[in-house]
Amino acid sequence: MINLARASLSGAVAAVVLALPQLAMAHDPHADLRIVTSFTINSMNPWQDGYWMQEFGQAELLMKFNEDGQHHPWLLSSLENPEPNRWVLTLRDGLHFQNGRPVDAAAVLAAIDAALDHSPAAQGSVPDGAEFTVTGALELTVTTPAPWPELPGVLADEQVFLILDADAVAAVGDDWAQLVGAGIYTGPYTVTGLDDTRLKAEAFADYWQGTPALPGLTVAFVPDPNARILAVQNNEADIALYPPLAARPAVDAMPDVHFNIGGLSTGGFTGYMNLEQGPLADVSVRKAVLRAVDYREIAEDVFRGGLAQAHSLYAENLPFALQNYQTDLLDAAALLDAAGWVTGPDGFRHKDGRKLSVILAIYPQQPDLVPLSTAVQAQLARVGIDAEIVSFDGINQALLEPSNQWDLAMVSTGAASWGRVQNFLNTYLLPGARRNYGGYDNAEVNALVPELATEVDPERRTEILHRIQTILWDEDPYAFSFNIHLGRVIVNDRYACYAPGFALYHVSWQTAPCD
Amino acid sequence: MGRALVMRLGQAVLAAFGASLLVWLMLPLAPGDPVDMILNAQRVEEPTDQHIAALRDRFGLDRPLWQRYLVWIGGVVQGDFGLSWRTGEPVLSGLMRRLPATLQLVGLSFVISVAWSLGLALVAARWAGRWPDRLVLAYTRLLAATPSFVLALLVLQFVVVGMGIGLVLSGGAGATLIIAAAILGIDRAAGWTQLLRAGLLEHLARGPADVAKARGARPGRVLAIYALPAALLPWMTALGISLGGLIGGAPILEMIFTWPGIGEHVLTALSVRDVPVIQAFVLIAVLAYVAASLVVDAMAIMLDPRMRHARPA
């Protein structure tokens, strides 16, 4: 009997213990860059997963959106707008795909046509009647029925027109795995392997900007944030993307591991107020909420510099961003007083027997919303607004579902992703738009947004965007930024100098270890 | 015996049908427009009207509910769970590609947990009320209250990173399989140990064991010959039923250990509301559970003649 027990226990233990010698393997650091990211690249299908290739150095675009908030030529040598309805795109000379084929105007047109055939993002980004034509060996002309000022942003958007060898893509049909090693892009690193766990890429020796700094790279797909941090700590990865801010104190205490904060992004946690039900239907309460939020405290005290302070709806590096956010508790209190909300013995405001109480809607996919919503709850209480925090799974659907009760939703949003402002305005602010969660309908905004879509004069564009920001703060508040996101990564000593990529450009041809 | 088996089979078929209906209802009962969910899963921000219409047509969203169910279940019966909204690949091929890795993990963890719980329960029963028993009880209570993902993170931090044993990023390596399976198996074994220990103690206190003890049989022999066979039956039933829990616990372990099973695939599907993948996973898990219960029932009917005439409550 004792032998039976002993045998059972030892059988279980043996499976683990006997394997330990094989488990204790040293991991030699090697020259390739090793990135761990939370998202999985599912396939080489360029219309479904191609945008990742731009982020990790395989693919490139015609234009690039830079930290200065401007669009700059990337594979183009110039982008000109000689007439309101005509753009001229001139390619750099001597470009080649990784498979050796030349990148000329015909090849770029083929890539654009293929995207328009297969990619919903491309189809949704190009206005009806737009025509792309080859007008020279390295020149394309775009003509549109109406002016198209967003074209530079569209050409810089990773979801729209990746420059790829359309013939090579067409040749594989739906067998996307055949594109591994096919060299269909122009970037400094060619995909040499892709499975369910990682992407591998090797340097493209004939890259047009110069020899890539690394022999290759791997991007491992690790959804769990703790595992990503541990991978860097265990020297199995050099860079971990998308670390939660809550991990910063623990990482700061680790030797040889660094939590690097980068520059401003183009989005942040955006507040959307419900105008269709509850107390925020009252414009005075909405204005009071904006002025009660302490934007500096959120950025500097709550997130200790891990997020940037919001000064307006847009990040301050964008040329059209105002600096109109101002925390003002006295003003907020005065607005509520004037609207008839009187402070009661419980410290909260009441009107007609109703307590001024709002529901803050957050969602579990963004763990940083927990400290943010808790901070906002405390800030609103300072002016007598009670707040309850409710987490909704699937926030986009939940906010549009009439049976769900919410007043102020906190959603991570890019208000000007890749410098494109039209997408956010069209999708979130116009009546009937897909993500107009709170039923916003402002006549002036409704007129300004379509005007902006065809306005090419930079001064008038800035004027329109300033006016929209003013309306959203001073006159008819609805959407506002709690903060602006900053890039952040966890790195090991070798990459201690690595700065988080702006606009998701994680790897360039110059990305290299610090030494 | 044949009649009892046929009855159990009939119940299993009914349960499977009911499960398929409930699983399918996940989509029509979910709040919001399914097209919006598909667009979210595909990260499409500005869909054209044509794209929306094409999605409705492709996924049959304009048809009446009963037609949609019949089309779906008709496909399921033939192994066609539709296309993933997120990746566009057939749901079943995405799951089947990852299934072997999950089966490896679940299979090994099952073996570990059975052996571990059997051994611990025998030790506890042999020295009931003494320190080995108290130690086993304390250990199983602690583990039963510890979620497997907490255990996994502790092992990663202190064993993998701290002691340099194994790797954080598995990439499908066997070393990680053993660590992950051991955690899952040992965690699951806690409840099974308590159950088997209780059964052994109950049967040790009954007549046949008492008689054997009075005749001077050694305690180990009494435990092995009189108590263990009788205690095994309910324990095996619990094992079969708990297998579903083992499968259900695997995804989170797979995600933490980057084990390339269906776990990461399903958790990602959950986060982006990729309903066809979620439906397929839930249905397959339920069917596996029903099948495991059926096998356990069949074994019980074969082993215990009284079960052949038992009617379901």
Side-chain angles (χ1 to χ4, degrees):
Chain A
M1 171 58 230
I2 302 309
N3 288 341
L4 179 59
R6 192 176 298 144
S8 297
L9 281 175
S10 58
V13 172
V16 178
V17 173
L18 291 179
L20 288 183
Q22 328 166 22
L23 305 184
M25 52 183 89
H27 189 79
D28 294 323
H30 46 80
D32 281 3
L33 168 62
R34 300 158 303 165
I35 297 175
V36 282
T37 184
S38 54
F39 301 103
T40 300
I41 302 173
N42 295 297
S43 76
M44 288 292 290
N45 179 345
W47 322 121
Q48 192 108 32
D49 290 290
Y51 55 88
W52 299 114
M53 305 299 166
Q54 182 273 149
E55 299 184 8
F56 296 111
Q58 289 75 52
E60 293 175 310
L61 301 158
L62 295 175
M63 296 290 286
K64 191 169 198 175
F65 182 56
N66 282 355
E67 290 90 336
D68 60 6
Q70 305 281 354
H71 298 101
H72 298 269
W74 193 352
L75 292 180
L76 292 182
S77 61
S78 69
L79 175 64
E80 291 168 0
N81 191 198
E83 296 164 30
N85 294 19
R86 188 164 68 92
W87 287 90
V88 177
L89 290 65
T90 307
L91 285 162
R92 293 179 188 277
D93 196 7
L95 296 175
H96 288 83
F97 293 112
Q98 294 151 346
N99 60 20
R101 291 188 191 170
V103 180
D104 55 18
V108 170
L109 181 61
I112 289 172
D113 285 343
L116 289 171
D117 284 344
H118 298 98
S119 160
Q123 292 156 4
S125 296
V126 176
D128 289 340
E131 284 188 16
F132 293 77
T133 48
V134 172
T135 48
L138 297 175
E139 184 184 283
L140 290 114
T141 298
V142 185
T143 53
T144 49
W148 188 18
E150 281 257 301
L151 180 67
V154 168
L155 299 180
D157 186 334
E158 64 176 17
Q159 301 255 8
V160 185
F161 294 132
L162 291 172
I163 301 309
L164 47 73
D165 182 347
D167 292 339
V169 172
V172 305
D174 287 341
D175 188 3
W176 304 117
Q178 283 193 44
L179 292 179
V180 171
I184 60 169
Y185 297 113
T186 60
Y189 295 97
T190 311
V191 179
T192 55
L194 176 65
D195 59 28
D196 292 332
T197 62
R198 66 193 65 214
L199 172 141
K200 291 184 180 178
E202 287 177 2
F204 170 34
D206 295 328
Y207 179 61
W208 63 276
Q209 291 195 77
T211 304
L214 299 161
L217 58 95
T218 61
V219 181
F221 316 133
V222 183
D224 185 70
N226 297 300
R228 291 200 297 278
I229 296 168
L230 288 166
V232 176
Q233 195 185 0
N234 206 36
N235 196 27
E236 294 174 49
D238 301 304
I239 300 171
L241 302 179
Y242 310 115
L245 280 170
R248 196 174 174 191
V251 172
D252 287 344
M254 293 176 186
D256 313 323
V257 181
H258 314 273
F259 199 113
N260 286 4
I261 300 287
L264 290 167
S265 77
T266 52
F269 289 120
T270 306
Y272 298 94
M273 299 195 252
N274 195 340
L275 281 57
E276 295 181 324
Q277 59 184 18
L280 297 186
D282 181 342
V283 68
S284 297
V285 181
R286 297 206 298 276
K287 287 182 185 175
V289 165
L290 290 186
R291 285 147 183 82
V293 172
D294 189 334
Y295 305 92
R296 186 210 60 77
E297 183 182 67
I298 288 170
E300 294 178 16
D301 299 340
V302 179
F303 289 98
R304 286 171 295 166
L307 301 176
Q309 180 177 344
H311 296 286
S312 81
L313 177 66
Y314 296 111
E316 59 190 292
N317 59 335
L318 297 172
F320 44 80
L322 281 180
Q323 300 245 333
N324 60 338
Y325 281 18
Q326 185 72 48
T327 303
D328 189 337
L329 299 186
L330 291 176
D331 195 12
L335 282 161
L336 293 173
D337 288 340
W341 292 96
V342 180
T343 306
D346 59 357
F348 294 110
R349 290 175 181 266
H350 297 258
K351 181 181 176 181
D352 302 330
R354 267 188 314 129
K355 186 159 125 180
L356 182 48
S357 182
V358 297
I359 297 172
L360 307 181
I362 62 172
Y363 53 109
Q365 286 78 12
Q366 289 284 352
D368 293 333
L369 283 175
V370 175
L372 175 62
S373 59
T374 307
V376 170
Q377 186 182 39
Q379 292 172 356
L380 294 180
R382 291 173 194 158
V383 293
I385 301 175
D386 182 31
E388 178 191 355
I389 300 166
V390 176
S391 183
F392 290 98
D393 207 10
I395 191 77
N396 289 315
Q397 280 83 37
L399 296 179
L400 294 167
E401 175 59 37
S403 62
N404 287 331
Q405 298 288 313
W406 63 275
D407 297 300
L408 174 55
M410 301 171 160
V411 183
S412 184
T413 314
S417 300
W418 291 282
R420 297 180 64 187
V421 290
Q422 204 70 41
N423 189 6
F424 171 80
L425 299 174
N426 287 343
T427 312
Y428 289 82
L429 295 192
L430 295 185
R434 284 182 61 238
R435 292 191 176 165
N436 187 344
Y437 307 118
Y440 191 63
D441 185 359
N442 179 283
E444 191 177 352
V445 171
N446 296 349
L448 288 171
V449 172
E451 182 191 341
L452 184 71
T454 56
E455 179 56 68
V456 288
D457 175 29
E459 283 184 18
R460 176 60 188 151
R461 287 182 64 78
T462 300
E463 201 177 297
I464 291 171
L465 288 164
H466 281 180
R467 181 69 193 130
I468 290 172
Q469 290 170 81
T470 303
I471 292 170
L472 287 171
W473 177 268
D474 284 320
E475 298 169 24
D476 188 11
Y478 166 59
F480 66 102
S481 295
F482 286 104
N483 71 286
I484 302 298
H485 289 330
L486 296 171
R488 55 183 192 251
V489 291
I490 290 175
V491 294
N492 60 14
D493 274 343
R494 282 182 78 211
Y495 283 85
C497 59
Y498 175 86
F502 178 75
L504 305 176
Y505 306 126
H506 301 307
V507 177
S508 79
W509 70 287
Q510 291 169 310
T511 302
C514 302
D515 49 14
Chain B
M1 186 169 77
R3 182 183 158 85
L5 282 174
V6 169
M7 278 186 65
R8 293 289 193 280
L9 187 63
Q11 289 165 359
V13 170
L14 272 178
F17 171 74
S20 77
L21 192 57
L22 287 174
V23 165
W24 178 79
L25 281 172
M26 283 165 63
L27 178 56
L29 291 183
D33 185 348
V35 168
D36 211 33
M37 296 163 74
I38 298 169
L39 293 169
N40 280 338
Q42 295 177 348
R43 291 179 58 167
V44 177
E45 291 288 332
E46 289 185 281
T48 59
D49 291 343
Q50 296 92 318
H51 185 57
I52 290 174
L55 286 176
R56 286 199 191 285
D57 184 55
R58 186 179 182 192
F59 292 99
L61 297 172
D62 288 330
R63 296 179 193 163
L65 282 182
W66 65 270
Q67 273 189 22
R68 285 162 59 187
Y69 175 71
L70 287 181
V71 169
W72 179 76
I73 195 70
V76 167
V77 169
Q78 298 171 60
D80 177 9
F81 286 83
L83 300 175
S84 161
W85 291 352
R86 182 173 61 96
T87 66
E89 77 170 331
V91 169
L92 195 64
S93 66
L95 290 173
M96 292 309 286
R97 192 172 68 247
R98 296 165 173 92
L99 189 61
T102 295
L103 289 179
Q104 276 184 313
L105 175 63
V106 171
L108 184 57
S109 64
F110 185 71
V111 170
I112 290 172
S113 59
V114 167
W116 189 247
S117 58
L118 182 62
L120 287 180
L122 287 170
V123 166
R126 168 63 182 84
W127 287 283
R130 293 164 65 185
W131 70 264
D133 182 29
R134 286 198 290 274
L135 192 64
V136 168
L137 273 181
Y139 164 80
T140 54
R141 281 173 188 153
L142 179 69
L143 274 193
T146 308
S148 56
F149 73 90
V150 172
L151 204 56
L153 289 173
L154 290 173
V155 168
L156 275 181
Q157 181 69 64
F158 296 108
V159 177
V160 177
V161 175
M163 298 163 64
I165 295 173
L167 295 172
V168 176
L169 304 181
S170 79
T176 304
L177 171 67
I178 294 168
I179 295 178
I183 291 169
L184 192 56
I186 289 172
D187 183 67
R188 184 56 53 177
W192 296 353
T193 303
Q194 290 173 343
L195 184 73
L196 183 57
R197 173 190 170 277
L200 289 170
L201 293 181
E202 182 190 338
H203 289 284
L204 276 175
R206 286 192 176 173
D210 274 345
V211 172
K213 279 186 255 177
R215 286 179 170 173
R218 286 186 301 173
R221 184 178 168 79
V222 175
L223 192 60
I225 293 180
Y226 294 97
L228 185 59
L232 276 182
L233 196 60
W235 184 66
M236 280 170 49
T237 307
L239 287 187
I241 293 169
S242 302
L243 194 59
L246 208 58
I247 295 169
I252 197 83
L253 265 286
E254 287 178 1
M255 192 178 80
I256 291 172
F257 283 97
T258 64
W259 184 250
I262 56 177
E264 183 271 334
H265 188 57
V266 171
L267 289 171
T268 304
L270 275 170
S271 70
V272 298
R273 297 286 198 283
D274 190 348
V275 174
V277 173
I278 301 166
Q279 283 176 326
F281 174 74
V282 173
L283 186 61
I284 290 170
V286 168
L287 293 180
Y289 184 82
V290 169
S293 300
L294 186 65
V295 169
V296 169
D297 282 350
M299 286 172 65
I301 287 168
M302 286 186 278
L303 289 172
D304 186 348
R306 291 170 301 177
M307 298 288 286
R308 293 169 198 170
H309 306 292
R311 289 182 181 278

